[in-house]
Amino acid sequence: MPVSETKLLMKYADEPGYTPGIESYLAVGGYEMLKKAVGMKPEDIRGEVKASGLRGRGGAGFPCGVKWDLVDRKSGKPIYLICNCDESEPGTFKDRQLVHKDPHQLIEGMMISAFANDVKFAVIYIREEMPKGAKILDAAIDEARARGFVGSNICGTGFSCELIVHRGAGAYICGEETGLIESLEGKRAYPRIKPPYFPAVLGLYNCPTIVNNVETLCNVVHILRMGAAEYCKIGRPNNTGTRLWCVSGHVQRPGYYEVAGITMGQLLYDLCGGPLPGRSFKAIVPGGGSMKILRYDEKFKGKKPDGAAYEYGVDDIPLDFDGVAAAGSMSGSAGMMVMDDSVDILEALANLMQFYAHESCGQCTPCREGSQWARKITARMCSSNAKPGDLDTLYDMAGNIGGRTVCPMGFSTTWPVQSYIDKFRDEIEAKARDNRCGMPREARLIQK
Ligand SMILES: Cc1cc2nc3c(=O)[nH]c(=O)nc-3n(C[C@H](O)[C@H](O)[C@H](O)COP(=O)(O)O)c2cc1C
Ligand code: SF4
């Protein structure tokens, strides 16, 4: 039987007549969990979030409750909460849905998280390219403040927390948490070196700071409503809750889908309708442009609970953090890009390299120079100007970027280069050799 979505965060947002206004949210029980939270002990809320196993939805999948535990509560400095709504990873467009369609869910999640962590000042950092979202959030915060859910004396309990929207500069690196913090402080978004700058200890203005993704914070409302034990029943152990997958590219029904406990094949076929007529799947980038590509005909080795080995394909990959990692990639920001047999894989890689070269903040040499070299080499390979050894140079260079930079963006360049070459070397080599581009030159996306 075809699978269906498991709607938790988007349960009401797509219903006819539901608006981003507070009346819609209140009508479906909105802010009841904030009222409940302010009557609880903060450590009990933190305990529920930890027990829920909620993993961060921004990309790395770090457990939210563990992150909250790391916050320095003894420094005497203010603790800040930042909602990361930069959403710049290629292929990812889920946070904007939550913001545009149900902003009060995010505000409630943030206010509960603020109360749980003794935060008096919280910020939603939104990228400049999301002006509609920023306006919706500003209006929603005003509505919430007028009802006593934001600002002074929240729900009449004496708890106060200010919440503002900050519009970012529209750079990919502003999504990296320490780059974001630098940007908020009014500086260029150069990521900080960790350690010592773990935001939980030395964050905004060198004060303890929690940075969480939009989807992560929305989940907090539901954890409190359901209780950690019920919440854990959604999904798989260590992969609890739903995830909003954004599917773009060559499927019949691209879009976002909120699911839990399904396989990649179920998403691709049951929900997205399979490949376009007459086409077949060639490759999947599971979690946003930075993640390693999977060949659609690839096979993986697994172990059953009784220890017996078995082989499985892309369609059987469990669609969650651990499932995608076991197949050699990562679910990242859940921005799945689907490529069918019409795609020229070298063009796709060159297009990505153009993006990462443009977005490198320039602070570290391997990333700044390496991403430019990757852009240039892939571009000239696409335009039939490849030099002998270009592919090996590209591969070797990628091996010298990741892990040698201040922030993980080094891997954003490295992983695509290495995995595209590992999985499609023959095709890339043949194209570079024979100029088998298959596309008219003027239709290419690559800047030469
Ligand atoms: C280059 C780069 C870009 C990132 N962009 C985003 C982003 O747009 N949104 C986001 O939530 N996290 C992004 N992250 C991850 C954040 O640094 C951080 O881990 C995340 O916001 C933490 O929230 P979470 O624990 O709720 O996932 C990015 C990381 C890197 C290295
Ligand atoms: S890895 Fe790249 S993006 Fe990250 S700090 Fe270094 S130069 Fe900037």
Side-chain angles (χ1 to χ4, degrees):
M1 214 172 81
V3 297
S4 51
E5 291 185 73
T6 305
K7 292 209 177 188
L8 199 63
L9 273 52
M10 297 302 287
K11 183 166 179 198
Y12 302 110
D14 288 326
E15 290 296 314
Y18 192 83
T19 74
I22 197 164
E23 297 304 338
S24 276
Y25 193 60
L26 291 173
V28 296
Y31 290 108
E32 288 304 316
M33 289 308 110
L34 177 59
K35 290 180 195 163
K36 176 180 167 183
V38 290
M40 291 171 71
K41 287 187 188 151
E43 57 269 33
D44 290 345
I45 303 172
R46 297 202 298 270
E48 281 296 296
V49 170
K50 195 169 175 187
S52 75
L54 172 66
R55 293 175 67 174
R57 305 310 202 224
F62 192 78
C64 181
V66 176
K67 182 184 275 191
W68 289 7
D69 268 357
L70 296 173
V71 170
D72 181 358
R73 298 180 206 284
K74 298 203 175 107
S75 67
K77 297 178 187 173
I79 300 171
Y80 295 115
L81 171 67
I82 300 172
C83 169
N84 189 343
C85 187
D86 196 60
E87 185 149 80
S88 326
E89 180 70 6
T92 314
F93 47 88
K94 65 185 177 70
D95 293 342
R96 77 171 55 210
Q97 303 298 336
L98 292 163
V99 163
H100 283 188
K101 294 179 175 168
D102 209 354
H104 285 284
Q105 180 178 232
L106 173 61
I107 294 170
E108 185 175 16
M110 287 191 73
M111 288 298 107
I112 296 169
S113 305
F115 179 76
N117 289 288
D118 196 21
V119 170
K120 304 286 188 312
F121 187 79
V123 183
I124 302 172
Y125 185 101
I126 190 165
R127 71 185 278 113
E128 184 56 35
E129 287 87 341
M130 250 196 256
K132 185 177 166 193
K135 275 190 195 148
I136 290 172
L137 283 168
D138 274 333
I141 291 171
D142 286 348
E143 284 180 324
R145 185 178 284 108
R147 304 280 183 132
F149 300 131
V150 165
S152 308
N153 196 23
I154 290 173
C155 301
T157 57
F159 165 62
S160 300
C161 180
E162 200 40 69
L163 174 62
I164 63 153
V165 175
H166 181 95
R167 296 190 187 198
Y172 176 62
I173 203 57
C174 291
E176 194 282 329
E177 55 191 8
T178 59
L180 187 159
I181 287 169
E182 288 283 307
S183 164
L184 257 181
E185 290 179 358
K187 293 177 268 174
R188 192 173 178 154
Y190 275 167
R192 298 174 177 177
I193 296 173
K194 296 191 255 186
Y197 290 102
F198 289 112
V201 181
L202 291 170
L204 188 61
Y205 306 120
N206 279 346
C207 296
T209 302
I210 297 166
V211 183
N212 273 137
N213 170 260
V214 172
E215 189 183 345
T216 312
L217 290 163
C218 289
N219 268 287
V220 171
V221 180
H222 300 278
I223 291 167
L224 214 59
R225 179 173 58 78
M226 302 169 73
E230 272 305 298
Y231 184 88
C232 284
K233 290 181 186 162
I234 308 175
R236 287 197 303 156
N238 204 36
N239 298 269
T240 55
T242 61
R243 273 206 95 176
L244 275 165
W245 285 85
C246 328
V247 188
S248 59
H250 299 135
V251 288
Q252 302 217 17
R253 290 189 292 275
Y256 63 90
Y257 295 91
E258 186 174 10
V259 296
I262 69 166
T263 62
M264 202 174 281
Q266 285 169 321
L267 176 67
L268 290 172
Y269 286 91
D270 293 359
L271 297 172
C272 296
L276 300 173
R279 292 289 177 196
S280 55
F281 291 140
K282 176 172 180 174
I284 313 286
V285 180
S290 313
M291 299 304 142
K292 292 182 183 171
I293 198 168
L294 302 172
R295 275 183 80 107
Y296 188 67
D297 58 7
E298 217 174 316
K299 296 284 175 239
F300 313 96
K301 291 194 189 325
K303 268 200 177 152
K304 293 183 179 161
D306 64 4
Y310 72 104
E311 208 177 53
Y312 62 100
V314 163
D315 284 345
D316 307 312
I317 295 173
L319 199 60
D320 54 33
F321 292 102
D322 295 339
V324 181
S329 188
M330 277 170 70
S331 59
S333 57
M336 183 182 290
M337 301 191 288
V338 183
M339 303 183 196
D340 71 14
D341 55 345
S342 69
V343 171
D344 181 303
I345 219 74
L346 178 55
E347 294 275 345
L349 177 61
N351 192 28
L352 267 185
M353 288 307 107
Q354 191 184 334
F355 174 82
Y356 290 114
H358 182 264
E359 296 298 325
S360 167
C361 83
Q363 188 177 191
C364 3
T365 311
C367 172
R368 183 186 63 239
E369 301 297 323
S371 60
Q372 286 299 342
W373 274 98
R375 181 189 67 77
K376 280 184 190 162
I377 292 178
T378 50
R380 75 176 175 233
M381 286 170 87
C382 284
S383 57
S384 69
N385 292 318
K387 296 181 183 166
D390 260 357
L391 196 59
D392 291 330
T393 305
L394 184 64
Y395 195 85
D396 181 54
M397 195 184 60
N400 285 295
I401 303 176
R404 291 180 168 87
T405 57
V406 167
C407 93
M409 190 170 142
F411 287 113
S412 304
T413 311
T414 307
W415 286 340
V417 167
Q418 291 175 329
S419 64
Y420 282 53
I421 297 176
D422 282 341
K423 308 274 172 86
F424 294 97
R425 179 177 272 271
D426 289 352
E427 178 182 330
I428 295 174
E429 259 175 356
K431 177 174 163 184
R433 191 180 58 239
D434 308 336
N435 185 26
R436 289 205 326 227
C437 177
M439 259 191 225
R441 186 170 293 226
E442 61 276 12
R444 294 177 201 158
L445 294 166
I446 318 304
Q447 279 173 4
K448 303 295 177 329

